[in-house]
Amino acid sequence: MSFPKYPAYKDSEVEWIGEIPVGWQSTTFKTVLALNDGGVWGSDPDGQDDCLVLRSTDQTINGQWEISDPAQRKLTPKERENHVLEEGDLLITKSSGSEFHIGKTTIVDKNVAALKACFSNFMQRLRVCDRCDPLFFWYVLNSSVAREQFFYLSNSTTGLANLSAGLINNSYVPLPPLSEQQAIASFLDRECGKIDALIAEQERLIALLAEKRQAVISHAVTKGLNPNAPMKDSGIPWIGMVPEGWEIKPIKMIAEIFGRIGYRGYTSADIVDETVGVISLSPSNMNNGEVCFDGKNTYITKQKYEESPEIKISPNDILLVKTGSTIGKIAYVYDQNFIESTINPQIVVFKKIKIDNKFLFFVLSTNFMRSEFENGNVGGTIPTMSQAYISNLRIMIPTISEQKIISNYLSEQERRFSSEREYILKITSLLKERRAALISAAVTGKIDMRAQSKALAA
């Protein structure tokens, strides 16, 4: 869809903004702000007149609220009075361990204002002056116009990814007349709403595809592929009936499990540069059921690598996360693009597998096995399960010929599911790019909303 442009443009003299319509200004943010102040954290709550304090974790990366477990804090009356949020306030994340979260901005709507909440010290509150529309500037702040400036300023000025009131004040923003700000905000609400609905539909399709994938795998590894096969009771409630001839065995009878033993762990002194080290795989190297050797790898010394030959990774090994927030995560080591590697203490590796490796992988990746892994959590604040617990879990084992037939069938289904998923993700990515481009174009005046706003008013 094409949109009308303004009849004449001028150079804004700001790299991130580019050309703007004649009649617009480019100005530093401080000229449009009535308030630019930091947050407060207070002290631990005691259950007596505590106050909600919103945090940057209550904000999504694209500037939406996701308030599921707001923090309760004890604030003084003065702190509460000075930091309570009002409708139209803009909350910007100024400190984060992720570059993608620096500068994310939410707007306080009626529902959030009704909470009478304050905001944390990792956030900055911006309140625009009367001649400005807060919704327009919410779009500006979540566009490349502001986010690219914040990323550059927060890194090049301080050396750390951290924004300050001064950096925000000195960033540049486009400034159209108030009526055009309001028209642009209304236009973006309408058009982005359409795009967001399409994105939500694609995300729903991804979820349905994941459910279908799980159903196909679970049925194949517990019931087989022959619908007319005679069945017997497995004796395990969550498995139910299985084909006759299938066996139920603990994992320790069909594979050996190896982990990084405590005294063979490693410290920061063992971590080296990629040019001289060996990859030590972590849960972040396990994505969509396979091991990925690219990305942000950790490398350890050759000496430390050689200390534990039993956990050297080989093609067709199976990795399982036994410690951490992703407990139960599974990945297969394919031989294509394989790189010499080992594992970190969060992971165990299945080796010396006596059945079809891919069949075991599919069994371990089912939801019912994930439930078994989670039930084995013996950790406190950090979830963990023992290798002994994993070894004693029982699984269903068909004949070797059936294992190969099932694993080949599921591998083909995986390729089909992966292809469908990639197609949906591509559509979603294009929609998100379209949304971002539309916002940037609108807030910098590449779309003339004056005629449309007059038509709507009439």
Side-chain angles (χ1 to χ4, degrees):
M1 181 185 294
S2 60
F3 296 103
K5 294 182 176 295
Y6 281 81
Y9 289 86
K10 64 182 181 180
D11 186 359
S12 69
E13 299 182 354
V14 178
E15 177 184 353
W16 291 280
I17 297 176
E19 288 189 332
I20 55 175
V22 172
W24 285 34
Q25 301 176 47
S26 61
T27 183
T28 53
F29 214 172
K30 61 186 175 185
T31 65
V32 304
L33 292 178
L35 190 63
N36 178 358
D37 60 349
V40 65
W41 191 233
S43 55
D44 291 339
D46 59 11
Q48 300 294 319
D49 196 30
D50 296 326
C51 177
L52 288 181
V53 176
L54 300 182
R55 300 158 292 179
S56 60
T57 52
D58 297 315
Q59 301 172 295
T60 67
I61 198 167
N62 61 345
Q64 302 293 331
W65 288 109
E66 200 170 78
I67 306 171
S68 57
D69 186 25
Q72 294 274 359
R73 302 294 296 171
K74 176 65 62 179
L75 303 182
T76 66
K78 192 67 174 177
E79 287 174 329
R80 182 177 293 197
E81 178 186 353
N82 290 341
H83 295 88
V84 67
L85 294 170
E86 297 181 8
E87 186 176 353
D89 283 350
L90 300 165
L91 272 296
I92 182 169
T93 292
K94 62 182 182 180
S95 298
S96 174
S98 168
E99 64 185 64
F100 300 106
H101 288 267
I102 292 289
K104 64 182 180 181
T105 305
T106 45
I107 186 169
V108 177
D109 58 18
K110 289 181 180 180
N111 293 330
V112 176
L115 297 174
K116 300 298 182 184
C118 295
F119 59 102
S120 81
N121 50 346
F122 284 103
M123 305 166 83
Q124 195 77 5
R125 173 174 54 184
L126 309 177
R127 186 177 294 167
V128 296
C129 60
D130 292 341
R131 63 190 174 96
C132 294
D133 180 66
L135 186 57
F136 171 79
F137 282 98
W138 175 72
Y139 278 114
V140 171
L141 288 166
N142 283 294
S143 73
S144 58
V145 172
R147 296 296 285 271
E148 288 181 10
Q149 287 188 76
F150 291 152
F151 176 72
Y152 173 78
L153 292 171
S154 64
N155 284 276
S156 64
T157 305
T158 66
L160 298 171
N162 189 62
L163 287 173
S164 65
L167 290 178
I168 295 170
N169 272 338
N170 292 323
S171 61
Y172 285 88
V173 292
L175 181 61
L178 178 58
S179 61
E180 290 176 55
Q181 294 176 34
Q182 294 167 337
I184 291 169
S186 296
F187 165 77
L188 288 175
D189 270 356
R190 183 172 64 254
E191 295 301 319
C192 289
K194 296 175 185 177
I195 297 174
D196 289 342
L198 292 173
I199 292 173
E201 177 63 18
Q202 300 308 308
E203 291 173 344
R204 188 181 71 84
L205 290 175
I206 287 285
L208 290 173
L209 191 65
E211 289 177 13
K212 185 177 180 181
R213 173 186 175 274
Q214 266 297 323
V216 169
I217 294 173
S218 296
H219 188 275
V221 300
T222 58
K223 311 301 178 188
L225 301 179
N226 180 6
N228 300 315
M231 309 293 282
K232 67 177 182 180
D233 188 356
S234 68
I236 303 175
W238 48 267
I239 296 178
M241 305 295 285
V242 297
E244 290 184 2
W246 286 33
E247 296 182 279
I248 309 294
K249 291 184 179 181
I251 291 174
K252 63 186 176 184
M253 293 186 65
I254 53 94
E256 292 189 38
I257 301 173
F258 298 94
R260 184 170 286 282
I261 302 170
Y263 69 90
R264 289 182 179 172
Y266 55 81
T267 65
S268 58
D270 299 304
I271 298 174
V272 293
D273 183 80
E274 62 182 290
T275 58
V276 295
V278 179
I279 294 175
S280 178
L281 298 169
S282 72
S284 63
N285 291 104
M286 301 163 63
N287 297 305
N288 297 319
E290 61 182 277
V291 174
C292 302
F293 294 94
D294 54 353
K296 297 181 179 179
N297 297 319
T298 297
Y299 294 84
I300 60 172
T301 63
K302 280 274 191 179
Q303 179 183 354
K304 183 58 66 173
Y305 171 70
E306 295 294 347
E307 277 185 15
S308 304
E310 75 281 2
I311 56 173
K312 291 181 178 180
I313 301 305
S314 303
N316 301 312
D317 285 347
I318 300 170
L319 305 187
L320 168 67
V321 177
K322 72 176 185 69
T323 302
S325 60
T326 57
I327 186 171
K329 190 178 184 181
I330 290 287
Y332 194 84
V333 183
Y334 292 93
D335 54 6
Q336 57 264 42
N337 303 320
F338 173 76
I339 298 175
E340 182 181 47
S341 54
T342 182
I343 55 175
N344 80 1
Q346 292 178 270
I347 299 172
V348 292
V349 56
F350 292 74
K351 289 181 172 289
K352 302 181 181 180
I353 299 169
K354 299 175 183 176
I355 64 174
D356 184 80
N357 293 49
K358 285 303 291 288
F359 179 82
L360 177 58
F361 164 74
F362 285 121
V363 172
L364 295 173
S365 63
T366 55
N367 281 340
F368 53 77
M369 286 303 296
R370 174 61 68 90
S371 296
E372 290 293 291
F373 295 144
E374 291 175 350
N375 289 338
N377 173 23
V378 294
T381 56
I382 301 176
T384 190
M385 56 182 168
S386 68
Q387 290 176 212
Y389 174 82
I390 300 167
S391 295
N392 286 315
L393 291 174
R394 294 182 293 169
I395 65 169
M396 312 69 62
I397 306 175
T399 63
I400 188 65
S401 60
E402 283 184 278
Q403 293 171 33
K404 291 185 179 298
I405 291 171
I406 291 170
S407 64
N408 288 338
Y409 165 77
L410 289 177
S411 293
E412 179 58 36
Q413 294 300 306
E414 285 282 86
R415 285 188 284 272
R416 184 171 66 83
F417 285 130
S418 179
S419 178
E420 292 181 23
R421 183 174 184 274
E422 288 302 315
Y423 178 72
I424 296 171
L425 288 174
K426 183 178 181 180
I427 293 175
T428 304
S429 178
L430 290 172
L431 286 169
K432 289 179 178 179
E433 288 177 10
R434 165 66 175 164
R435 186 183 190 278
L438 185 66
I439 292 173
S440 293
V443 300
T444 56
K446 306 304 185 291
I447 302 171
D448 188 349
M449 293 305 306
R450 294 174 300 176
Q452 293 190 46
S453 61
K454 289 178 182 178
L456 290 172

